[in-house]
Amino acid sequence: MNRREFLKGAAVMGMGATAWGCALRRGLEDPRVGKAWDGWRPGHFQIHVIYTGVAESLFLVFPDGTTMLLDCGDHPACKRGKLAVPILPDQSRHAGEWVARYVLRANPHGRDVDYMMLSHYHSDHGGQLKFNAGDAPNGKYKLSGFGQAMEYLTFRRAIDRAWPTFDDPLPMPDSYDSGIIVQMREVYRELERRGTKVERFRLEKGSDQIRPLRGDAPDFRVVPLCANGRILHPDGHVEDVMKPLIEARKLKSVNENTLSLGMRFEYGPFRFYTAGDYSHHQVLPDGSVFEAEAAMARVCGPCQVAKVDHHGHHSMPPALVQALRSRVYVACIWDQLHMTRDTMRNLDNARNYPGERLIFPCIFPKERQLEDQAEPWLPHVEPTTFDGAHVVVDVPPGGKTYALYALEARDESMKVRAAYHFDSEEA
């Protein structure tokens, strides 16, 4: 039995072993492995990373039961030929419906979702006009991404980075990214008609914009980190990291990824980092380098679990990995070019962070396994995610421990394929 076969066997049995090992609870039999996911329990904070093969979507349940759908895209990744990854469970439905069906299985409140949030205006995060399941009932938007999910789900509040003007820091043309601005403008109008409150993301210290709405949740809070090319420092001042670049280059448009919304979710000692596609690397005329994620490294703080920026496509530079010090990385993948080798090497490099780590992509297709079979980081990729899995982070009351679960994505059984257990306070 080789090393990878051992890891896969340990994961399936729920032993929770990696090559590094000590931060994981070895030999712990998890009763969920091999059974259908049994849902949220009061007092637990859960993060569901939903795999579709064409888009990014996260569903979160706060300790009091408050829920959030963070991104829900639809994107013609299936037309990428050899670069495409499997669409799961299959291509009979668009991603917005698959996501909604997952939420209906995982949500303790059925159709009712408290928050929906679009991290930035890219179709793989929000939907679009050109790739869709048809027209909405009122004919004003398409059944794509959020526009499709809201036919199955109801939302109490919607949060957007630049609503209602879509011009921060620069105006966005209606033609951008297959019409996502037109799509989201009409989606928000429809949501308002249905009674949903739509508001702009507030990047400010102590913001309670995103908070528990259904009860008490001691030691839980959401800390804003970035929005519209700006980052929020712990002392409360906001740094506009994009403004010098815009002025120096007299830009008419900017990299939308760098405008993503980012947050740190805190529950006791547990921390989770997510920032959409936040990334941008550019050599300036004077030879210096603008690196957006290096700016993020100044404010993110250590987090036990981090969602990889920009699907792992040339992202997560050493400065950010050093700042996050994460034991677990989760990633939303819809392309063979995601989780590029430079990203994987940064995540795995012990010089960036000497501690243990485990990488949970939602898929790592066989083509990449063959190409990267000699890479030293490959054994640190959770093997039960190779052929497609949803990933669930489960944090029990108090946040002193947390668990990672891989759930079957090839069908809707929600079968638990692997389980890993961690202590939040271990170095």
Side-chain angles (χ1 to χ4, degrees):
M1 178 181 289
N2 63 31
R3 187 183 191 190
R4 192 172 306 128
E5 288 171 336
F6 168 76
L7 288 175
K8 186 170 183 178
V12 171
M13 290 188 294
M15 291 174 61
T18 68
W20 291 311
C22 67
L24 304 175
R25 297 184 182 177
R26 287 180 177 270
L28 178 65
E29 291 292 339
D30 191 306
R32 293 188 177 194
V33 175
K35 300 178 182 178
W37 178 253
D38 56 3
W40 174 80
R41 286 168 284 181
H44 286 240
F45 172 44
Q46 288 185 353
I47 305 143
H48 296 252
V49 185
I50 304 172
Y51 179 78
T52 62
V54 299
E56 177 165 316
S57 186
L58 278 68
F59 180 65
L60 300 94
V61 188
F62 299 176
D64 70 321
T66 296
T67 54
M68 169 185 281
L69 183 58
L70 173 54
D71 287 336
C72 179
D74 202 3
H75 183 71
C78 55
K79 300 180 181 180
R80 303 244 323 141
K82 292 182 179 180
L83 294 179
V85 297
I87 296 173
L88 300 177
D90 56 46
Q91 296 189 49
S92 65
R93 295 176 171 88
H94 275 256
E97 184 175 354
W98 283 128
V99 168
R101 290 167 68 95
Y102 182 100
V103 170
L104 289 170
R105 297 193 298 274
N107 187 7
H109 313 297
R111 290 172 51 92
D112 296 332
V113 177
D114 296 298
Y115 295 100
M116 65 163 273
M117 176 185 287
L118 174 63
S119 65
H120 64 294
Y121 304 128
H122 275 160
S123 59
D124 61 314
H125 292 256
Q128 57 165 283
L129 294 179
K130 295 183 179 180
F131 187 69
N132 58 73
D135 293 329
N138 66 7
K140 294 185 177 181
Y141 58 94
K142 297 296 182 179
L143 298 178
S144 177
F146 277 120
Q148 185 177 28
M150 68 186 199
E151 296 304 302
Y152 303 89
L153 307 172
T154 61
F155 299 102
R156 187 190 300 195
R157 297 184 181 185
I159 300 174
D160 181 89
R161 75 165 186 82
W163 183 91
T165 54
F166 303 96
D167 61 356
D168 189 6
L170 295 170
M172 299 289 292
D174 286 353
S175 60
Y176 182 75
D177 193 14
S178 301
I180 186 174
I181 301 299
V182 176
Q183 170 78 353
M184 292 310 300
R185 183 187 296 123
E186 293 299 333
V187 164
Y188 291 142
R189 286 174 177 168
E190 175 63 18
L191 285 171
E192 286 186 314
R193 189 189 68 78
R194 297 182 185 184
T196 301
K197 181 180 180 180
V198 184
E199 54 193 69
R200 182 184 291 233
F201 184 77
R202 299 203 303 266
L203 187 67
E204 57 190 33
K205 185 177 181 178
S207 172
D208 66 347
Q209 184 179 31
I210 305 168
R211 63 186 187 278
L213 299 174
R214 293 179 178 268
D216 294 331
D219 300 322
F220 179 84
R221 65 173 183 159
V222 182
V223 178
L225 294 176
C226 63
N228 303 319
R230 307 176 188 96
I231 57 174
L232 176 65
H233 286 261
D235 65 4
H237 88 272
V238 176
E239 177 186 356
D240 194 333
V241 298
M242 287 297 291
K243 185 176 180 180
L245 181 64
I246 292 171
E247 293 179 344
R249 302 298 295 267
K250 296 181 172 56
L251 298 177
K252 302 294 184 183
S253 63
V254 296
N255 187 312
E256 178 65 23
N257 292 333
T258 319
L259 308 181
S260 293
L261 303 182
M263 295 146 286
R264 185 176 68 241
F265 291 82
E266 302 182 356
Y267 192 24
F270 176 82
R271 304 287 185 270
F272 170 65
Y273 164 85
T274 179
D277 282 356
Y278 188 86
S279 63
H280 186 52
H281 179 96
Q282 185 169 350
V283 179
L284 301 179
D286 63 2
S288 62
V289 176
F290 171 78
E291 181 68 80
E293 288 173 285
M296 175 62 76
R298 300 197 289 269
V299 303
C300 64
C303 296
Q304 286 87 351
V305 181
K307 187 191 76 68
V308 175
D309 291 335
H310 195 204
H311 318 282
H313 182 71
H314 303 302
S315 62
M316 309 301 290
L320 183 56
V321 176
Q322 291 163 14
L324 287 168
R325 301 177 63 82
S326 299
R327 291 197 194 120
V328 177
Y329 293 96
V330 296
C332 297
I333 295 177
W334 52 258
D335 193 285
Q336 297 276 358
L337 298 180
H338 291 162
M339 300 301 279
T340 49
R341 293 186 182 93
D342 56 333
T343 297
M344 297 296 284
R345 289 166 183 162
N346 287 337
L347 297 180
D348 190 61
N349 193 333
R351 287 176 294 181
N352 293 333
Y353 168 48
E356 303 159 357
R357 73 215 70 188
L358 189 62
I359 302 169
F360 269 76
C362 286
I363 197 166
F364 206 79
K366 59 183 179 182
E367 294 86 354
R368 286 293 307 277
Q369 295 172 45
L370 291 172
E371 291 174 7
D372 299 334
Q373 58 185 317
E375 293 285 346
W377 43 258
L378 186 58
H380 306 146
V381 178
E382 162 49 38
T384 57
T385 65
F386 280 177
D387 55 358
H390 310 297
V391 176
V392 181
V393 183
D394 183 74
V395 189
K400 293 182 179 180
T401 64
Y402 60 102
L404 268 287
Y405 295 93
L407 272 56
E408 182 64 70
R410 293 170 297 183
D411 55 40
E412 295 186 291
S413 67
M414 304 285 278
K415 180 181 178 180
V416 178
R417 302 176 64 186
Y420 288 83
H421 292 255
F422 300 79
D423 290 317
S424 298
E425 297 176 325
E426 283 186 351

